[in-house]
């Protein structure tokens, strides 16, 4: 008699918007956490492979942007900073923005770049864009060393208010995950998304209080301006670290709710089109 080991079988079913199916896929995603970690580390090693500066690029990139914006907006333009030196004022928001920008731009093109892998073995396709998000998060942790140095240099000390950075970063990660899943699924069918993404991120950056503060926006436009979920995130992150004004828990709560709604809807859409991705990729 021969005994055969039972092997798991994955049936790729037709697209479905069933809440039960989405919850099942989300729960099953934890079974692939080792693959997510492996792809994230591979993403990081591949990015800095054969690079002279290596991981130092994670610090150099935001620092060079900081120098450019400091020269432009502190020398040639008067930007209110609520008493903070412009260098640390800009970098405290530029740091989370770089995390968002790098994660979104990488995740958008992640699926077509791995079409060979997707056609050979099954795994939850959302792992690919998520690996870019986690890789960008590691870059954020490395670049945070510069922020620590700046805070020490300018005499800023962490207070209890710095705890506001935790919900701000959680909200930013949830929002980034939702936008990344949606953009990556669109990129499979419309390659224009990847082409337009650098321009979109450039516009989005100047529509977010990074090189300027929310108070610089006229009151008449602030209602529409605050519809951008990144507004509350950036202002909360910066205010919590620099002892400056925080937009308030209501605005951040609204941003959390919008980010969570976008993430859930994007994940449902991603799983809805997952079964047909290889047909059009």
């Amino acid at each position: 008699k021969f005994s055969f080991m039972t092997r798991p079988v994955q049936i790729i079913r037709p697209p479905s918007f069933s809440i039960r199916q989405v919850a099942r896929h989300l729960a099953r995603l934890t079974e692939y956490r080792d693959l997510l970690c492996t792809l994230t580390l591979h993403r990081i090693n591949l990015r800095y492979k054969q690079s002279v500066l290596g991981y130092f690029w994670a610090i150099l990139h935001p620092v060079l942007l900081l120098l450019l914006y400091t020269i432009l907006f502190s020398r040639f333009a008067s930007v209110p900073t609520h008493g903070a030196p412009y260098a640390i004022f800009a970098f405290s928001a530029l740091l989370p923005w770089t995390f968002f920008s790098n994660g979104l731009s990488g995740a958008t093109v992640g699926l077509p770049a791995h079409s060979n892998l997707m056609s050979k073995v099954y795994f939850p396709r959302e792992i690919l864009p998520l690996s870019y998000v986690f890789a960008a998060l590691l870059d954020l942790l490395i670049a945070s060393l510069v922020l620590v140095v700046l805070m020490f240099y300018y005499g800023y000390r962490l207070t209890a208010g710095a705890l506001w950075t935790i919900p701000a970063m959680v909200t930013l990660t949830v929002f980034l995950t939702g936008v990344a899943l949606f953009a990556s699924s669109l990129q499979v069918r419309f390659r224009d998304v990847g082409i337009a993404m650098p321009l979109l991120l450039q516009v989005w950056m100047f529509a977010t209080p990074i090189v300027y503060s929310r108070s610089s926006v006229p009151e008449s436009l602030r209602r529409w301006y605050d519809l951008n979920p990144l507004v509350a995130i950036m202002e909360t992150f910066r205010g919590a670290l620099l002892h400056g004004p925080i937009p308030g828990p209501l605005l951040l709560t609204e941003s959390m709710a919008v980010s969570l709604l976008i993430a859930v809807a994007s994940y449902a859409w991603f799983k809805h089109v997952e079964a047909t991705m290889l047909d059009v990729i």
Side-chain angles (χ1 to χ4, degrees):
K1 295 182 179 181
F2 295 94
S3 60
F4 298 93
M5 296 181 61
T6 302
R7 302 180 62 183
V9 177
Q10 171 65 33
I11 302 176
I12 303 179
R13 303 184 182 280
S16 172
F17 264 128
S18 169
I19 299 299
R20 181 180 299 178
Q21 289 289 336
V22 171
R24 183 175 64 85
H25 286 305
L26 189 60
R28 191 180 180 192
L29 187 61
T30 58
E31 300 176 8
Y32 293 85
R33 56 185 178 274
D34 290 338
L35 177 60
L36 178 59
C37 293
T38 300
L39 286 177
T40 300
L41 294 176
H42 171 71
R43 197 81 56 229
I44 297 170
N45 292 331
L46 188 63
R47 179 185 303 174
Y48 300 115
K49 184 179 180 181
Q50 295 181 339
S51 171
V52 176
L53 298 180
Y55 289 94
F56 187 69
W57 277 110
I59 296 177
L60 188 60
H61 181 219
V63 168
L64 290 178
L65 288 178
L66 172 64
L67 293 176
L68 175 61
Y69 294 139
T70 300
I71 294 174
L72 290 177
F73 292 97
S74 66
R75 301 286 182 177
F76 303 105
S78 179
V79 177
T81 61
H82 306 291
Y86 187 82
I88 192 172
F89 170 85
F91 195 79
S92 58
L94 189 62
L95 192 63
W97 167 258
T98 303
F99 162 59
F100 178 82
S101 176
N102 290 345
L104 181 55
S105 59
T108 300
V109 299
L111 292 176
H114 294 80
S115 57
N116 291 335
L117 178 62
M118 292 171 59
S119 63
K120 293 177 180 178
V121 62
Y122 174 79
F123 56 91
R125 309 308 187 195
E126 61 269 27
I127 285 182
L128 288 173
L130 287 178
S131 66
Y132 285 94
V133 173
F134 280 92
L137 183 60
L138 182 58
D139 283 343
L140 170 69
L141 296 177
I142 297 175
S144 296
L145 297 176
V146 179
L147 182 59
V148 172
V149 172
L150 286 175
M151 292 184 66
F152 179 80
Y153 178 80
Y154 287 110
Y156 284 91
R157 298 293 182 266
L158 293 179
T159 63
L163 294 175
W164 279 101
T165 59
I166 298 176
M169 284 305 303
V170 170
T171 304
L172 178 60
T173 304
V174 171
F175 181 64
L176 170 58
T177 300
V179 178
L181 288 174
F182 183 69
S184 61
S185 64
L186 285 184
Q187 172 70 4
V188 171
R189 289 165 170 77
F190 309 103
R191 302 304 167 88
D192 310 72
V193 177
I195 298 175
M197 187 56 65
L199 176 61
L200 174 61
L201 286 172
Q202 194 68 30
V203 174
W204 204 339
M205 177 180 176
F206 286 103
T208 303
I210 298 173
V211 296
Y212 60 90
S213 66
R214 177 173 174 264
S215 61
S216 300
V217 179
E219 285 282 354
S220 58
L221 300 177
R222 201 169 294 174
R223 176 184 176 185
W224 302 102
Y225 182 75
D226 289 342
L227 293 177
N228 177 7
L230 295 180
V231 171
I233 295 171
M234 299 301 174
E235 284 288 277
T236 300
F237 191 88
R238 175 159 49 205
L241 292 178
L242 304 187
H243 316 157
I246 296 178
L250 179 59
L251 189 60
L252 184 60
T253 301
E254 292 175 352
S255 179
M256 288 179 181
V258 172
S259 299
L260 185 60
L261 179 62
I262 291 176
V264 172
S266 297
Y267 186 68
W269 168 256
F270 190 96
K271 302 306 291 186
H272 174 71
V273 300
E274 180 187 31
T276 59
M277 283 181 178
L278 281 179
D279 298 333
V280 296
I281 200 166

